[in-house]
Amino acid sequence: MRVLSGIQPSGSLHIGNYFGMMKRMIDYQENHELFCFIVNFHALTSTFDAERLRKQTYDAVCDFLALGLDPEKSVFWVQSDVPEVTEATWYLSNITGMGLLERCHSYKDKLAKGIPASHGLFSYPVLMAADILLYGANRVPVGKDQKQHVEVARDIAIRFNNVYGETFIIPEPDIESELATIPGIDGQKMSKSYGNTIGIFTDEASLKQIIMSIKTDSTPVNEPKPIEGNVLFSLYSLFLDQAGKEELKDRFLTPGLKYGDVKKELFSTIWEYFAPYREKREQIAKDPDLVHSIMKSGAEKARKVAVEYLSKMRHNVGIDY
Ligand code: ADP
Ligand code: TRP
């Protein structure tokens, strides 16, 4: 079973990314064939500052390594280090109907957020399909927002196989319902573009300030607190096991609980949870030579698989005259 997913280096990674995608990927490396990459070609659709893109790509690599992604147990690389994916995108583009892309919510959502309409942004799902198909992925762990893109990749694979003969594995999206949409501090989906995130490696003072600003309702202290749709409850639960969640639920349902106290606890919990990773991250980030050599060998492993699929594609479309 080959599991593959990527993340854009388009800003600081947050706990929505961590629980929705990164942690699940890191867990998969123990008993699956894991392919994980930083999709900097995709980030070009919304980042137009070269220095920023470079830094964010490096930061995302360090984040993943610090959080436990093991380059010995997985294939971990930066998308642009295997540029063959852009050639594959072209072959796929020509069998991708306009209607399929026009139906994608993400394009419309991004325009609404002020990202400029461009051909790259519109055809983004085709590049993502190439990412998935070129590495023969069976399963793609993502948050709910990316489900449609994985379905587009499936449609494209099926169409390519019909037009040119059996070439690709048909991938499955892998979404864990409990982690499908992690709320941000304002209750909307946590997202870099909404400014409502809790960063994984935010400094102590900023983290405290962010946690204290989590939106809560105005239930009086001496009444039971609601659980359903309660952002504080949802965020705290991410860090608890089943017994811990039950206990938290009881505390919410018992009159007397003060949201301010829970926020302080949540702050300490998050700060301690990421403490060992923070230390590791500092060490890793200080050694760019090591980071670059890890990424180079990851790209070599990834390329081996990509090149095989690409030569099959070239042959099946008839480009190898
Ligand atoms: P953002 O919305 O912050 O830009 P991305 O779209 O880059 O995040 O998402 C990267 C990965 O993290 C994807 O697999 C996405 O589904 C997952 N993810 C992002 N935000 C959340 C969230 N709030 N809840 C669950 N998963 C998320
Ligand atoms: N579009 C995904 C996101 O924004 C990132 C991505 C690019 C991806 N290629 C991928 C995810 C391939 C899974 C598989 O989060």
Side-chain angles (χ1 to χ4, degrees):
M1 165 80 67
R2 188 169 290 169
V3 176
L4 170 145
S5 193
I7 199 159
Q8 290 195 58
S10 56
S12 301
L13 298 178
H14 52 75
I15 65 168
N17 298 138
Y18 178 70
F19 287 105
M21 185 266 193
M22 303 169 83
K23 181 173 186 303
R24 295 168 60 208
M25 292 290 279
I26 292 164
D27 291 344
Y28 269 128
Q29 77 191 352
E30 299 308 327
N31 39 26
H32 290 81
E33 202 186 354
L34 182 71
F35 280 59
C36 180
F37 54 153
I38 308 299
V39 295
N40 55 345
F41 278 145
H42 277 101
L44 284 172
T45 57
S46 60
T47 307
F48 302 94
D49 176 334
E51 203 40 62
R52 223 178 102 199
L53 181 60
R54 237 172 250 128
K55 179 178 184 313
Q56 287 175 176
T57 305
Y58 185 77
D59 283 349
V61 167
C62 293
D63 288 353
F64 253 116
L65 292 173
L67 290 166
L69 194 92
D70 182 346
E72 300 294 322
K73 290 184 184 163
S74 61
V75 182
F76 180 46
W77 78 107
V78 175
Q79 187 184 31
S80 61
D81 285 338
V82 186
E84 285 85 351
V85 72
T86 57
E87 182 181 337
T89 302
W90 181 245
Y91 302 141
L92 300 182
S93 288
N94 292 294
I95 51 98
T96 302
M98 287 295 284
L100 190 63
L101 299 180
E102 277 161 359
R103 282 195 290 279
C104 288
H105 315 298
S106 157
Y107 176 69
K108 290 167 226 162
D109 292 349
K110 286 181 177 169
L111 294 193
K113 284 183 207 158
I115 297 177
S118 67
H119 171 249
L121 190 67
F122 182 72
S123 60
Y124 175 118
V126 189
L127 176 59
M128 179 158 159
D131 278 339
I132 297 170
L133 304 180
L134 202 57
Y135 298 100
N138 304 98
R139 200 188 268 192
V140 185
V142 283
K144 202 168 109 197
D145 57 327
Q146 293 295 322
K147 183 166 183 253
Q148 191 182 30
H149 287 161
V150 181
E151 282 160 1
V152 167
R154 284 174 64 86
D155 287 351
I156 292 177
I158 292 168
R159 171 118 175 100
F160 194 98
N161 287 352
N162 282 339
V163 174
Y164 293 117
E166 213 51 34
T167 313
F168 293 121
I169 291 169
I170 312 299
E172 299 280 347
D174 173 6
I175 293 168
E176 210 167 294
S177 57
E178 225 179 289
L179 303 171
T181 309
I182 290 159
I185 56 168
D186 58 356
Q188 290 188 80
K189 175 201 166 222
M190 186 177 293
S191 171
K192 285 165 229 137
S193 41
Y194 296 149
N196 62 358
T197 62
I198 301 173
I200 300 171
F201 293 114
T202 304
D203 67 85
E204 192 170 5
S206 315
L207 181 67
K208 194 175 269 173
Q209 188 255 322
I210 291 167
I211 300 300
M212 294 318 282
S213 66
I214 289 174
K215 206 168 125 190
T216 45
D217 56 60
S218 52
T219 313
V221 175
N222 54 1
E223 278 181 29
K225 308 295 178 298
I227 304 284
E228 214 39 53
N230 190 318
V231 183
L232 190 55
F233 182 82
S234 305
L235 290 174
Y236 203 165
S237 299
L238 293 169
F239 295 89
L240 301 173
D241 57 18
Q242 202 47 43
K245 277 185 224 172
E246 287 303 322
E247 199 188 314
L248 187 68
K249 194 170 159 192
D250 282 347
R251 288 176 59 202
F252 269 64
L253 296 178
T254 308
L257 176 111
K258 291 188 188 138
Y259 281 141
D261 294 343
V262 180
K263 286 182 182 177
K264 282 184 203 145
E265 265 178 52
L266 176 59
F267 159 74
S268 311
T269 305
I270 298 181
W271 186 250
E272 275 159 33
Y273 182 95
F274 290 113
Y277 304 122
R278 218 163 19 242
E279 236 165 72
K280 199 168 157 206
R281 196 191 182 290
E282 265 169 38
Q283 283 169 11
I284 292 168
K286 272 196 296 216
D287 196 346
D289 287 347
L290 175 69
V291 172
H292 285 110
S293 84
I294 291 174
M295 296 328 283
K296 189 164 169 263
S297 65
E300 277 162 17
K301 287 198 262 176
R303 174 174 275 121
K304 278 203 189 105
V305 180
V307 160
E308 246 179 66
Y309 268 98
L310 189 63
S311 83
K312 212 157 123 189
M313 287 177 91
R314 282 180 177 158
H315 179 69
N316 291 359
V317 301
I319 218 85
D320 58 341
Y321 65 95

